[in-house]
């Protein structure tokens, strides 16, 4: 089925000037960008986004990293978009990411791991509405 998923190009990948390379991978895989914006997240916005990790030992570092520079937030649309995006990204830890995946090619550490992608239809719905109003999404 056609799905939507939330993608974030994280501060490390933005700093590497890899925005275009990463979006090209989404487009080449048949995913369409139907919403996009660049934002420098506040601590509150980043902490709310990752609220499910609040009690994890890495939460503080995660929020610190995600607020360290601008990010590019997008909604990707396509057949099986959630799983397709996760395949393109590779494993959370770049050291375990398969060759040719975004994290294998652009990420260095589990914190600075280049991209985020929704992990389920439920989280996709929550994450998309966390960043975009309906009037900011352009079906195509
Ligand atoms: P992301 O998909 O954005 O979701 C939560 C992020 O926390 C994850 O990517 C990693 O960048 C970061 N993180 C840091 N340490 C861990 C860990 N031990 N397990 C999972 N995620 C971690």
């Amino acid at each position: 089925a056609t799905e939507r998923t939330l993608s974030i190009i994280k501060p490390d990948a933005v700093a590497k000037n890899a925005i275009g390379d990463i979006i090209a991978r989404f487009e080449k895989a048949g995913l369409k960008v139907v919403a996009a914006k660049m934002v420098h997240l506040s601590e509150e916005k980043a902490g709310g986004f990752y609220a499910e990790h609040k009690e994890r030992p890495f939460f503080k570092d995660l929020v610190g990293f995600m607020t360290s520079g601008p990010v590019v937030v997008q909604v990707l649309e396509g057949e099986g978009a959630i799983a397709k995006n996760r395949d393109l990204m590779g494993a959370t830890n770049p050291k375990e990411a398969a060759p040719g995946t975004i994290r294998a090619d652009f990420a260095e550490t589990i914190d600075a791991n280049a991209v985020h992608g929704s992990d389920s239809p439920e989280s996709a719905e929550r994450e998309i509405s966390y960043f975009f109003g309906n009037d900011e999404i352009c079906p195509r």
Side-chain angles (χ1 to χ4, degrees), residues 22-39:
I22 290 173
I23 291 179
R25 292 186 181 210
F26 299 146
E27 293 191 328
K28 281 179 185 145
L31 296 172
K32 293 176 178 176
V33 177
V34 295
K37 60 183 157 194
M38 188 171 219
V39 278

Side-chain angles (χ1 to χ4, degrees), residues 2 20 22 26 29 31 34-35 52 64-65 70 75 90 94 110 116 118 129:
T2 299
I22 290 173
F26 299 146
L31 296 172
V34 295
E52 64 177 307
F65 173 66
V75 178
I110 195 165
H116 167 85
S118 308
S129 61

Side-chain angles (χ1 to χ4, degrees), residues 10 50 53 56 58 62 92 103 110-111 113 116:
K10 297 188 179 186
Y50 283 120
H53 296 307
R56 307 282 286 273
F58 57 83
L62 174 60
T92 303
R103 283 167 171 156
I110 195 165
D111 294 301
N113 67 349
H116 167 85

